[in-house]
Amino acid sequence: MNITLWIVQGLVALGFLYSGWLKAFQYKKAKASWGWVKDVSKGFVAFIGLTELLGAIGIILPQATNILPVLTPIAATALAVVVLFGALFHIKRKEYREISVNIVFFAFAVFVAFIAY
């Protein structure tokens, strides 16, 4: 199970590093990639991006270094909440195609939260 956990943690971290980096530091690319970015403030998009970047670090680093490994399931839970709110946002906007990504990352984050705990 340990190998599976690390694989899922890596996938979650990579996904959130990518999306977080675009949202936090490459606003124009994020705006071109995701239609919803045009309809919210740049500061809010950057905030979401920074949150995702911190979550991506938190889902790997504490457990990998064995320094406060309890932070890993906390980070995973926080990322699951971010993804859940993202899914609700997409439902409200009738962007149903976007929700599949939210569902996958929600499931992965919940898996990490439960298994790492």
Side-chain angles (χ1 to χ4, degrees):
M1 184 56 92
N2 196 25
I3 293 172
T4 304
L5 176 61
W6 278 110
I7 290 170
V8 174
Q9 282 175 267
L11 290 173
V12 171
L14 286 175
F16 281 106
L17 283 173
Y18 172 75
S19 68
W21 185 262
L22 282 182
K23 291 170 191 158
F25 301 112
Q26 296 186 331
Y27 179 75
K28 289 182 182 179
K29 261 189 181 175
K31 200 172 179 181
S33 298
W34 302 303
W36 64 267
V37 173
K38 298 171 192 150
D39 297 332
V40 297
S41 72
K42 184 177 180 180
F44 185 62
V45 174
F47 171 74
I48 295 169
L50 290 173
T51 302
E52 291 177 352
L53 288 171
L54 287 172
I57 293 166
I59 209 164
I60 296 286
L61 200 58
Q63 192 172 6
T65 61
N66 205 26
I67 298 172
L68 292 172
V70 70
L71 293 178
T72 294
I74 292 170
T77 302
L79 287 173
V81 170
V82 168
V83 172
L84 179 62
F85 282 132
L88 294 173
F89 178 75
H90 290 306
I91 289 170
K92 182 179 176 184
R93 293 175 47 92
K94 296 183 169 91
E95 297 172 335
Y96 302 115
R97 194 179 74 194
E98 305 289 331
I99 297 170
S100 61
V101 174
N102 292 106
I103 291 169
V104 170
F105 277 93
F106 178 80
F108 282 169
V110 168
F111 173 81
V112 172
F114 279 108
I115 302 301
Y117 182 70

